[in-house]
Structures are given as C-alpha cells and as structure tokens.
Amino acid sequence: VYVQADCGSDQSIWSGPFAFTTSCAAASAPAIEDFDAGFPFCWSQSTTDDFNWTLDASGTPSPGTGPSDDITGGGNYMFIETSPGINGNEAVLLSQAVDLSSLTVPQLVFFSHMYGATINTLSVDISADAGVTFTQVFTKTGDQGNQWNEELVDLSNYSGTVLFKITASRGTSFTGDIAIDDFEIREAPACPAPTSLVASNLTATSAVISWTAGGTETNWEFEYGPSPFPSPAAPSPIPAATLSATGLTPQTTYDFYVRADCGSAQSIWIGPFTFTTLCAAATSPYIENFDGLSLTAPYTALPSCWTPQVGPDYWDVTNDITNNGHSYLPNIGDHTTGTGNYMWIDASSDITANMMETQLIDMSGLSSPNAGFWFASNNIANAINHTINLDAWDGSAWVNVATESGAYRDRK
C-alpha cells in the first residue's frame, strides 16, 4: 500500500510500500494435510513453546527412535527431534482453520509414530473460538512400536470453524522422537472400522486375536490364513471382539483381516494384521552344535526357535577361523571337530545380564533325561572367575540344575 497527503494546492511524496498479509481462509472439510509439499502455508509454529516441529523425510537422525519414512513411502512428515532439550520441553504446531459445516459427523484421522525408549506425550487440542480456548480431544503417551498408527478422533460435538493444536513433549533422552502424518478431517464412516488389533496367548498351534470396536457395533466378520493371504473372500461372522484361533501350523506367519458388521453396512477391511505362531517343542534326544549359525555381524543370532537375546551382554557365535589372533583360549576350536562353531562371551570386563534360552524340548520319550554341554573358561587373570548357570523352566519359574565357576579347558 502507498499513501500521500493531499494539501489542496500540493501533495506530499508517496509513503510506501507498506506490506501486510491477510489471514488464511478456513479450509473446507473434508481436508487432508500430508506435508509432502513442504511446511503447510497456513499452518504455524507456536512462539510460546520450547522448540519447533521439523519437516522431514527418509528417517530421523537419531538411532532407535523416529520413523524411517512417511506413511505412504517417499513423502514428508512432521516430527520432533529430541536430542537437545530437557524432559518435558514442548513443541506446538497450529493447524489452518477448518470449516466443518459440510460434514454431518466430522472426524479427525491422522497417523502417529511414537517409537523409542523415552517417548513422552503427543496430544491434540481443538478450538472453536479462533484459538482463544482449546479442549483436548486426543492424547497418547509412551512407546507404541516402530510403526505408524492410525488415530481416530470423534468430532461430532463440533461444528462451524475449528483449528487444532498439536503438542509433542520431549522425554528424558534422545530416543523420544514423535512424528505425525496425513492429518485429515473427514466425514465419519457410517460403520467405523475396528482398531487396535492385538495377538496374545501365542502357542505353536493357537493364538487369541482381539480388537477394539470402531463404534457401537457388536458383530464383526473375519478371515485369516498363512501369509501372504489374499483379501477376504469368504469371511466368517463373530459376535465378539475376540477370536481364539486353533489348529494353526507351528512357526508360521498368518495374515488376519477383520471388519465391523453394523447391520445395514460393513466397515472397510482392516488388515493384513500379521502374527507368527511359536515353534513346536523339539523332540528328545536333542542336541544343538551351533554349526548352522551364520558367522556374520553382529554374531548374536541364535538357532531357530531359540529366544532372541536382549543383552546388554551377548553370547556370540564364532570359530577359530573367524576368531583368531587372541591370547585367551588360543586355537581351542569347537569340542566336536575343532573347526565348527561355538558360542562365547567376552569377559574382559564384568559380564552383566545375558541369557541363551532354548526352544521347548519334549523329554517325554526319555526314561532318565539329563542335560549337559561342553565349556571352556580362561579367567586365570581375573580375581573373581565368572560363573555359568544351567537353568530349567518348570512351568512357573527357572530352576537351577547346574553351576560351574573357574578356569577350565574343555570340560563337561
């Protein structure tokens, strides 16, 4: 804008330009923001919070937290980087205003990614008075796994023009990155889909699958089969949000689909939700010589059907070809052939929590069962020689059946 004074017989020089920007008009629902075009023009970062949200793609910089891609693959998302800062610091994102007048039953749908050991809280508030006051409509806290999770928020109590405040808080360390994507305001489906599928009570031949109703429905349809299983073609009805699946194949991954049956309509199919049955018990006599394990970094993989190690100290698979040039137990080789694999653990410093857990072993065919293993230990330079324990699970607790300590070579 330019302006000048008009003094009748004369005029002043022009003053200007003076620039101003009009506010964004409210978006008309349905509306979605996927962040793929960059930071949204009509969104804003709060100026009264502790730090900002960050536009990102292809993975956050910290290990063990944050997504590796957006929900659709190859696009952008918004996230908080929690490497700097202190516990409780907040980042606040403000959406564009959205006009809900074209929706009969409005619903907010978005995807969250909350993965890491120190995830804090993600919340969404809504304002119906242009940001003067806000009401919380969604909150979630803690690690939700390394995947995008769909969040559904009922907005049926709101009409007219609203805007949203999205707040994420930092946890106690850098493994607290929180992300969002595909923030959508839409018409709620007439028959909402079920959510929160969970597999529990897994055995070699059975599993319990449960889910949460998407609305007030009390009936569902389901279908499942070994993965990859095609889209459902002959579903079965079920009047409860829990299915006990039996007659499954051991050590097999299954795909599960479920949808709500609202009487006059059905929801979309949810799935495939995958779960894997446990291994069947091994038959005795049983032996594991570790020769089938791959000698590749990080060397901590265990035989199929053994429980994966969780550390912080780990047993490593090795042999004298891979693990040579050391002064401890020189050229010991494995016990059987001298050239095969064996498991070892480094005792250069105090060993902390570690465990190798076998699969279940059926001993019913043995009249006098026993268990044993060959081991070697070279701790002569250590004032306290480390100890190795062999425990057996009795159905409710681990029971120690053997303990050895000291410096031994090739002992059973």
Side-chain angles (χ1 to χ4, degrees), residues 174-200:
F174 69 90
T175 54
D177 294 355
I178 295 174
I180 62 168
D181 199 6
D182 283 12
F183 196 88
E184 181 182 8
I185 295 87
R186 70 181 188 188
E187 183 72 44
C191 187
T195 62
S196 305
L197 275 68
V198 175
S200 61

Side-chain angles (χ1 to χ4, degrees), residues 31-42:
I32 184 171
E33 179 52 66
D34 60 12
F35 308 107
D36 290 348
F39 188 86
F41 180 73
C42 291

Side-chain angles (χ1 to χ4, degrees), residues 288 290 315 329 332-336 341-345 347 351 356 371-379 385-390 402-412:
E288 176 55 62
F290 307 108
W315 289 85
L329 295 176
I332 187 174
D334 80 322
H335 173 266
T336 312
N341 294 346
Y342 55 92
M343 303 300 295
W344 77 289
I345 192 165
I351 301 174
M356 289 191 293
F373 56 91
W374 292 92
F375 78 101
S377 175
N378 183 26
N379 283 316
N385 290 309
H386 292 295
T387 300
I388 188 169
N389 295 305
L390 177 63
T403 298
E404 293 286 351
S405 298
Y408 300 109
R409 180 184 177 94
D410 214 21
R411 176 167 172 171
K412 187 174 184 180

Side-chain angles (χ1 to χ4, degrees), residues 234-257:
S236 301
I238 184 170
T242 300
L243 170 72
S244 295
T246 58
L248 306 179
T249 303
Q251 202 178 357
T252 300
T253 298
Y254 284 84
D255 289 341
F256 181 86
Y257 295 84

Side-chain angles (χ1 to χ4, degrees), residues 281-286 358-372 392-394 401:
T283 303
S284 297
Y286 171 87
T358 73
Q359 71 184 98
L360 291 173
I361 302 171
D362 182 1
M363 301 188 301
S364 60
L366 304 179
S367 56
S368 299
N370 66 18
W393 182 255
D394 69 358
V401 295

Side-chain angles (χ1 to χ4, degrees), residues 49-51 80 82 84-92 120-121 167-171:
D49 55 1
D50 301 302
F51 66 112
I80 61 165
T82 56
I86 61 175
N87 186 28
N89 278 173
E90 291 186 341
V92 176
N120 203 328
T121 300
T167 305
S169 57
R170 184 190 187 274

